[in-house]
Amino acid sequence: MSGADLLGSLSDETLTRRAQRGDTAAFDVLVQRHAPAVHRFVARTMPERSDCDDIVQESLIAAWKALPTFAFRSSLRTWLFSIASRKTADVLRRRAPVVDSEAVDEAAASGPGPVERATDRDFLDALGRELGRLPYPARAAWWLREVDGLSVAEIAGVLRTTEGSVRGHLQRTRQRLAEALGEYWP
């Protein structure tokens, strides 16, 4: 078994402990394992897709720098989501987007007809649009729960909020999506 194969067979905890001692190869394996999920999370919670790669890269650099202080109070995966969430929120805060209600109304009015709405792609596009209209914490909570399968407690840690707040975000988001996307349900 080669060195790379051996590292790949180690647990996240073992790799993290090795990386904390400066083992860059162990950190590379952790990045290979978790970067795709972190990228998906950032891509789905960041309106500007062009910023995703930069945010993920900044998150991984921040993780490397902060790794000596990682205390294993959460899983490494949850910790990486937490860093990416903060980096994404920082970018969104700096931008303070202005919503053009006329453009939103125009986009909704020019949507596809009933035949086109029947495809999965149209549903996913509509879902993406609705999620994009939500405030970042609600969008991030929904994505972390429904796609990445994190628990409410883990999401609260990632978003640095309470479990009650996460439950509220999830409940309101699910209700909003059910109402907005009702035409896709049989």
Side-chain angles (χ1 to χ4, degrees), residues 6-65:
L6 176 62
L7 281 176
S9 67
L10 298 175
S11 70
D12 278 359
E13 182 176 348
T14 301
L15 289 168
T16 302
R17 291 190 188 284
R18 289 179 71 157
Q20 284 179 317
R21 293 189 302 271
D23 185 341
T24 57
F27 187 71
D28 287 345
V29 172
L30 291 168
V31 167
Q32 289 171 7
R33 265 185 207 169
H34 299 288
V38 171
H39 192 276
R40 275 191 313 273
F41 168 67
V42 172
R44 294 298 183 186
T45 58
M46 182 67 197
E48 293 293 324
R49 302 256 188 221
S50 60
D51 294 325
C52 293
D53 290 338
D54 290 341
I55 292 170
V56 171
Q57 184 175 9
E58 287 176 23
S59 299
L60 294 172
I61 290 169
W64 173 252
K65 289 178 180 177

Side-chain angles (χ1 to χ4, degrees), residues 95-167:
R95 293 220 174 118
V98 176
V99 176
D100 180 359
S101 61
E102 287 181 31
V104 171
D105 292 341
E106 187 178 309
S110 66
V115 173
E116 292 85 8
R117 283 193 303 261
T119 66
D120 287 341
R121 184 76 241 160
D122 289 332
F123 169 74
L124 292 175
D125 289 344
L127 176 63
R129 277 191 305 276
E130 287 304 316
L131 287 171
R133 292 179 179 138
L134 294 171
Y136 176 75
R139 184 171 58 240
W142 184 88
W143 186 262
L144 290 169
R145 179 71 186 132
E146 301 300 335
V147 177
D148 289 306
L150 270 64
S151 70
V152 170
E154 288 173 317
I155 296 167
V158 166
L159 298 179
R160 291 185 171 184
T161 189
T162 65
E163 290 181 31
S165 179
V166 170
R167 283 189 203 93

